[in-house]
């Protein structure tokens, strides 16, 4: 069955530290998409990235980078030189082809606290 | 930002009363979704719509119904609210189905006493 695991419930770092948020997924499909969303303390959900299963190229966007490894079913997210504004809950999500519900399957989220 | 609004943003109600939450979009997107967010569960899909009058159930649909009479509006109804339905409800939209990015509304915090 499809599943997304974010084993880190909470992470606390000091500003300017690098931090990696782990995401491990399970799926039997060969075609799927992976997503990361950010939920700041204000509560909205902000889309960060989408990656399809055929594109294992890592991506960098400013201080954010994502490492997709099909061999380990992982899609990890690294923030370089963290800032207080990065404090949020981060969700990893999976979308599988062929599912009747066309749903996103979310992990339980990782709360990142960046201390000044 | 995608044009998605939800109303009300906060609601307190009593057990047994019906409640309707509204999601409104200005993006003319075909797909609309309702999720609930609970501690320890992430977000879970309640219902979704793939067009006007076309809806289907998600994984936690019991006790909920939906309707979509216009492209821009997707309503979620709790027929008889229970305390277990206390949650934060998010609406999302996407232009296409599988694999397309879903954009979320601001959420509705519902408390059932």
């Amino acid at each position: 069955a499809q599943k997304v695991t974010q084993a880190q419930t909470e992470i606390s770092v000091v500003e300017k530290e690098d931090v990696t948020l782990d995401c491990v997924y399970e799926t039997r499909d060969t075609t799927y998409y992976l997503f990361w969303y950010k939920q700041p303390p204000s509560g909205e959900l902000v889309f960060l990235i989408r990656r399809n299963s055929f594109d294992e190229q890592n991506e960098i966007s400013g201080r954010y980078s994502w490492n997709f490894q099909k061999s380990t079913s992982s899609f990890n997210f690294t923030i370089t030189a963290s800032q207080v504004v990065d404090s949020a809950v981060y969700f990893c999500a999976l979308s599988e082809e062929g599912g009747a519900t066309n749903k996103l399957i979310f992990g339980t989220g990782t709360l990142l606290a960046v201390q000044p | 930002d995608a044009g998605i609004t939800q109303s009300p943003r906060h609601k307190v109600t009593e057990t047994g009363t019906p409640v309707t939450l509204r999601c409104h979009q200005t993006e003319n997107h075909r797909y609309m979704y309702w999720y609930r967010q609970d501690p320890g569960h992430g977000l879970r899909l309640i219902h979704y719509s793939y067009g006007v009058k076309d809806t289907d159930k998600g994984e936690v649909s019991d006790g909920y119904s939906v309707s979509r009479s216009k492209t821009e509006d997707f309503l979620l109804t709790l027929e008889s609210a229970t305390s277990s339905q206390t949650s934060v409800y998010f609406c999302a939209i996407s232009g296409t189905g599988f694999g397309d990015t879903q954009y979320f509304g601001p959420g509705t915090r519902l408390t059932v006493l």
Side-chain angles (χ1 to χ4, degrees):
Chain A
Q2 61 272 29
K3 186 179 179 182
V4 175
T5 300
Q6 294 180 258
Q8 303 152 307
T9 306
E10 294 186 32
I11 301 175
S12 182
V13 299
V14 177
E15 209 169 18
K16 297 183 183 175
E17 282 186 33
D18 298 348
V19 58
T20 295
L21 308 182
D22 297 334
C23 173
V24 174
Y25 61 92
E26 296 175 28
T27 178
R28 284 176 285 195
D29 284 358
T30 56
T31 304
Y32 52 90
Y33 287 79
L34 295 162
F35 301 80
W36 276 94
Y37 287 87
K38 174 183 180 180
Q39 186 175 42
S42 51
E44 72 272 25
L45 282 154
V46 178
F47 165 72
L48 296 178
I49 190 172
R50 179 184 74 159
R51 173 68 68 210
N52 75 54
S53 54
F54 298 107
D55 182 4
E56 288 194 72
Q57 194 170 15
N58 292 333
E59 179 149 343
I60 299 174
S61 177
R63 296 184 296 106
Y64 294 174
S65 62
W66 290 268
N67 180 261
F68 176 31
Q69 291 196 341
K70 289 177 73 171
S71 60
T72 57
S73 296
S74 64
F75 186 42
N76 296 337
F77 173 30
T78 297
I79 301 174
T80 302
S82 60
Q83 300 176 1
V84 172
V85 293
D86 296 326
S87 296
V89 180
Y90 291 87
F91 291 98
C92 181
L94 166 71
S95 178
E96 293 182 324
E97 185 180 40
T101 55
N102 190 42
K103 65 183 176 184
L104 284 179
I105 302 151
F106 282 83
T108 51
T110 297
L111 173 61
L112 174 64
V114 181
Q115 310 296 332
Chain B
D1 289 344
I4 313 168
T5 57
Q6 293 183 229
S7 59
R9 294 294 313 281
H10 302 271
K11 186 170 182 67
V12 179
T13 191
E14 294 191 352
T15 297
T17 60
V19 176
T20 295
L21 309 182
R22 180 183 183 234
C23 177
H24 179 78
Q25 58 137 335
T26 58
E27 305 297 318
N28 200 35
H29 278 0
R30 178 182 175 191
Y31 285 78
M32 299 185 75
Y33 312 81
W34 277 108
Y35 290 85
R36 60 178 289 174
Q37 182 179 14
D38 304 290
H41 290 278
L43 283 83
R44 293 176 293 174
L45 183 68
I46 305 170
H47 281 280
Y48 78 108
S49 170
Y50 48 95
V52 174
K53 298 191 189 304
D54 293 322
T55 65
D56 206 349
K57 296 179 180 180
E59 63 178 307
V60 290
S61 59
D62 287 349
Y64 302 95
S65 62
V66 291
S67 66
R68 190 169 179 199
S69 58
K70 299 184 290 185
T71 297
E72 57 265 35
D73 289 326
F74 192 32
L75 304 181
L76 176 70
T77 297
L78 289 65
E79 306 288 350
S80 176
T82 67
S83 58
S84 64
Q85 293 176 312
T86 292
S87 187
V88 180
Y89 291 86
F90 285 96
C91 173
I93 65 173
S94 68
T96 60
F98 167 63
D100 196 16
T101 298
Q102 293 184 24
Y103 294 95
F104 286 80
T108 294
R109 183 172 295 276
L110 175 67
T111 301
V112 183
L113 302 176

